[in-house]
């Protein structure tokens, strides 16, 4: 292969990532094939020409891809890089790169590949200098220009490519680095934090998650998700038979109902409903669709726990189910779904009613 798209994904989800890109590329009228290696943490979608790969990188909305953490146009597959002069070979391959504003030297997200991160960090400095001299990297970082990615598989091989800043993940390796807040009662707080970071635009966060707003958290215990809303000043009804963290109850912003999340009805409509209940994905999707269609909430973020098989098919079945409910009600909405870095066997969905 010479060119195509390079997609990063969670290790073990290569088939889902491949199934998805195959479908959306075909929808764009680009016919290629996937190179998939189990547990590699990435997928290559091979196209006939660089122009086709570039077309996909422009036309496929990165936010619509559930299983991809990053989308990169490949300009060269690098093999047998000589250990005494990798840079010359990479610079030779760089002629197809657009003039870019940033460089990331990365690896797939696997334990073996991550051992290379020290090498990547050190290698970035001389490579940046060489690419600047070559003219394909601007002398100053420019966040509106393409990003050059060198993805190393080991110290002698990898891929060279670029992504578009308005249609990529802004994070190194496609992974947001979040620090666990010491006051949060569970690690899953990071899932909701990442979801908010991804799904709520920075300039909208203060209006969409404003102090004084109301929310319901279905399957709330011990309160990692509730914590994210409480710290933004929201008032939360937490639904779960388990115990909520005392620290959250002491804020006075949380009311705990020991009820079944599938039967609970809010006394008043709320701004937000979040849900992390472990249940069959289609049952959760059905419940989420009902809450939105009935107007019980205006926005939601929830998890769909994935079955072992047919994970890709199941996710799209659930999203279709929710959308059909909303369309039937004539509602306008925005829906996004992503396999987050902090998600394991699950994906996270955001739906917002518009207007
Ligand atoms: C993964 S945990 C939630 C963790 C929580 N989001 C956090 O950050 O701390 C799932 C929770 O869902 C609750 N749950 C499962 N089925 C439920 C149901 N039908 N009604 C209410 N809660 C339920 C469980 O008791 C459990 O506490």
């Amino acid at each position: 292969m010479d060119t195509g798209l390079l997609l990063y994904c969670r290790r073990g989800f290569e088939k889902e990532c491949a199934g998805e890109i195959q479908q959306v590329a075909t929808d764009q009228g680009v016919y290629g094939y996937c190179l998939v290696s189990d547990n590699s943490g990435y997928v290559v979608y091979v196209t006939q020409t660089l122009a086709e790969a570039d077309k996909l990188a422009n036309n496929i909305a990165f936010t619509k891809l559930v299983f991809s953490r990053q989308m990169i146009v490949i300009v060269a597959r690098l093999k047998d890089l000589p250990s005494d002069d990798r840079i010359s070979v990479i610079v030779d391959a760089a002629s197809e790169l657009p003039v870019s504003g940033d460089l990331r030297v990365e690896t797939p997200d696997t334990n073996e590949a991550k051992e290379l991160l020290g090498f990547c960090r050190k290698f970035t400095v001389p490579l940046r200098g060489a690419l600047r001299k070559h003219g394909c990297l601007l002398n100053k970082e420019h966040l509106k220009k393409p990003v050059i990615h060198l993805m190393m598989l080991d110290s002698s091989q990898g891929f060279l490519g670029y992504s578009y800043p308005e249609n990529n993940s802004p994070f190194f390796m496609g992974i947001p680095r979040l620090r666990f807040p010491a006051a949060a009662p569970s690690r899953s707080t990071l899932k909701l934090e990442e979801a908010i970071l991804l799904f709520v635009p920075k300039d909208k966060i203060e209006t969409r998650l404003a102090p004084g707003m109301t929310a319901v958290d279905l399957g709330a215990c011990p309160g990692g998700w509730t914590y994210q809303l409480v710290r933004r000043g929201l008032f939360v009804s937490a639904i779960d038979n388990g115990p909520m963290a005392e620290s959250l109850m002491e804020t006075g912003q949380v009311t705990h109902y020991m009820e079944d999340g599938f039967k609970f009805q809010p006394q008043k409509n709320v701004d937000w409903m979040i849900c992390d209940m472990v249940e069959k994905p289609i049952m959760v999707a059905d419940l989420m669709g009902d809450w939105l269609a009935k107007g019980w909430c205006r926005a939601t973020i929830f998890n769909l726990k994935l079955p072992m098989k047919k994970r890709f098919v199941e996710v799209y079945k659930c999203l279709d189910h929710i959308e059909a409910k909303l369309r039937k009600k004539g509602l306008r909405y925005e829906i996004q779904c992503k396999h987050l870095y902090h998600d394991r066997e699950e994906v996270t969905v955001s739906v917002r009613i518009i207007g």
Side-chain angles (χ1 to χ4, degrees):
M1 58 94 23
D2 288 309
T3 190
L5 284 183
L6 171 63
L7 303 150
Y8 299 166
C9 64
R10 176 183 264 285
R11 183 177 183 273
F13 282 79
E14 297 79 14
K15 287 195 182 75
E16 285 71 20
C17 183
E20 185 175 48
I21 193 66
Q22 188 84 54
Q23 184 166 311
V24 294
T26 305
D27 291 347
Q28 293 288 332
V30 174
Y31 301 97
Y33 61 92
C34 285
L35 299 176
V36 181
S37 166
D38 286 348
N39 295 317
S40 62
Y42 71 95
V43 165
V44 173
Y45 182 72
V46 181
T47 56
Q48 285 186 353
T49 62
L50 180 62
E52 280 181 334
D54 187 78
K55 174 181 163 184
L56 292 178
N58 275 294
N59 294 0
I60 294 172
F62 176 68
T63 52
K64 289 277 172 200
L65 293 176
V66 175
F67 292 99
S68 294
R69 287 182 185 167
Q70 190 57 283
M71 178 168 65
I72 298 164
V73 179
I74 301 169
V75 300
R77 169 81 164 98
L78 305 164
K79 281 185 184 158
D80 304 323
L81 291 172
S83 58
D84 57 346
D85 188 12
R86 297 180 182 89
I87 287 190
S88 301
V89 181
I90 296 170
V91 168
D92 277 350
S95 49
E96 302 276 16
L97 288 173
V99 175
S100 300
D102 197 6
L103 166 69
R104 297 183 202 157
V105 182
E106 304 172 311
T107 72
D109 183 25
T110 63
N111 290 337
E112 310 79 64
K114 277 195 291 192
E115 283 176 18
L116 281 173
L117 281 176
F119 164 82
C120 292
R121 208 171 304 121
K122 281 191 212 138
F123 192 55
T124 303
V125 179
L127 181 62
R128 190 187 285 131
L131 291 172
R132 281 182 174 157
K133 212 166 149 193
H134 183 261
C136 59
L137 183 63
L138 294 172
N139 281 333
K140 268 196 173 170
E141 193 180 84
H142 196 311
L143 299 180
K144 295 204 165 138
K145 293 279 181 192
V147 180
I148 298 174
H149 299 260
L150 173 66
M151 192 267 248
M152 298 300 290
L153 293 170
D154 58 40
S155 58
S156 71
Q157 56 166 334
F159 293 92
L160 182 67
Y162 62 92
S163 66
Y164 287 108
E166 67 283 5
N167 201 26
N168 72 358
S169 163
F171 306 110
F172 181 73
M173 288 169 59
I175 300 174
R177 311 277 150 178
L178 301 177
R179 193 173 302 151
F180 176 66
S186 69
R187 284 205 70 78
S188 62
T189 198
L190 292 175
K191 248 190 288 180
L192 187 59
E193 188 172 349
E194 184 182 351
I196 292 171
L197 183 72
L198 214 73
F199 297 139
V200 186
K202 228 187 207 164
D203 58 341
K204 299 276 180 347
I205 202 138
E206 282 181 11
T207 46
R208 292 203 191 153
L209 280 159
M213 280 183 163
T214 52
V216 169
D217 183 353
L218 301 176
C221 292
W225 284 33
T226 291
Y227 169 83
Q228 288 294 335
L229 301 185
V230 164
R231 81 178 184 88
R232 291 175 167 86
L234 279 78
F235 288 85
V236 184
S237 299
I239 319 303
D240 202 309
N241 276 321
M244 284 297 280
E246 264 312 304
S247 54
L248 284 173
M249 299 311 296
E250 282 164 7
T251 62
Q253 287 168 246
V254 182
T255 313
H256 184 190
Y257 297 90
M258 291 200 167
E259 289 185 34
D260 182 345
F262 281 88
K263 296 194 180 131
F264 177 82
Q265 289 188 20
Q267 283 169 356
K268 275 190 184 168
N269 294 345
V270 291
D271 298 298
W272 280 89
M273 182 267 288
I274 54 175
C275 172
D276 191 20
M277 290 191 290
V278 183
E279 246 310 341
K280 285 201 182 78
I282 196 68
M283 281 178 66
V284 173
D286 192 57
L287 184 70
M288 301 298 106
D290 280 349
W291 270 70
L292 292 158
K294 288 176 183 166
W296 291 357
C297 65
R298 303 280 306 160
T300 174
I301 292 179
F302 59 91
N303 264 177
L304 293 173
K305 313 286 172 186
L306 298 179
M308 289 308 286
K309 288 187 182 161
K310 298 199 171 172
R311 297 184 289 201
F312 163 66
V313 174
E314 189 69 27
V315 168
Y316 279 86
K317 189 170 102 186
C318 290
L319 299 180
D320 286 349
H321 183 72
I322 295 167
E323 292 195 58
K325 282 197 179 224
L326 301 183
R327 276 199 304 270
K328 200 169 162 194
K329 275 273 173 181
L331 292 167
R332 289 204 311 127
Y333 57 90
E334 194 177 77
I335 186 163
Q336 290 184 74
C337 176
K338 204 80 184 168
H339 192 202
L340 302 177
Y341 174 68
H342 293 93
D343 283 335
R344 290 175 185 269
E345 300 290 321
E346 64 212 337
V347 292
T348 303
V349 186
S350 153
V351 189
R352 190 173 72 89
I353 303 297
I354 300 170

